[in-house]
Amino acid sequence: MWVAILGMVSACGFTDEQRQYTLVGAATGAAIGGGIGGGVFAADNSDNWVAIPAGIVGGALIGGLIGYLMAPPPAPPPPPPPPPPPPPPPPPPPPEKIVLRGVHFNFDKYYIRNVDKPVLDEAAETLKANPNVKIYVNGYCDVIGSVPYNLRLSQRRAESVAAYLEDKGIPASQLIPQGFGKTHFVATNHTAEGRAENRRVELVPVDQ
């Protein structure tokens, strides 16, 4: 009988408290049932010895059931752990560096040369692909001529390039034409070739 009870409480999904209460109740019930069975056997004054083991078994079963019912209910399972925080978003890619080629001008002129139009067409396509990028359209001159005259000429060169880009679909709000006169030379002014290099308009992204 004890082997059966132990097998029951060990095989079932009992908590430690339920198992302990069941075993204590079974032992107590067996003792009480055995006492009752012994009393019946003595009262009968006969060979009714079966009353003793029947009382023990019945008492053990009833006591085990009572002990199980009296055991505190099992504690609820702990809540599942919170999910791990999501990984931080990757850093934004660095802004793409935009490189735009500039154009050059004939002496004392501010019109766009045919040889430079493909360069500006390429710049227009690049700006269409980057509509949020503002561009400085910087005009320059060589050293020949007065400062006020060259300042006006460089401004006209910058505005001429800006107008060409606007005709190609670039909004005026994306372009900032400005003239710098005979400053910021990129070549010597002592040769015709060097002065031709200085007569230019540069396209420079504002944030670069």
Side-chain angles (χ1 to χ4, degrees), residues 48-118:
N48 191 15
W49 58 270
V50 179
I52 297 175
I56 293 174
V57 172
L61 293 175
I62 295 173
L65 178 60
I66 294 173
Y68 172 79
L69 295 175
M70 293 179 62
E96 180 183 359
K97 187 175 180 62
I98 300 176
V99 179
L100 301 172
R101 292 186 295 163
V103 295
H104 297 86
F105 293 83
N106 292 331
F107 177 72
D108 199 25
K109 297 294 186 291
Y110 57 87
Y111 60 82
I112 305 296
R113 304 182 303 176
N114 289 332
V115 68
D116 289 319
K117 290 180 179 180

Side-chain angles (χ1 to χ4, degrees), residues 104-105 142 188-189 191-200:
H104 297 86
F105 293 83
D142 59 26
T188 179
N189 283 291
T191 64
E193 293 79 6
R195 291 191 295 272
E197 288 293 318
N198 291 327
R199 297 190 299 266
R200 71 196 190 279

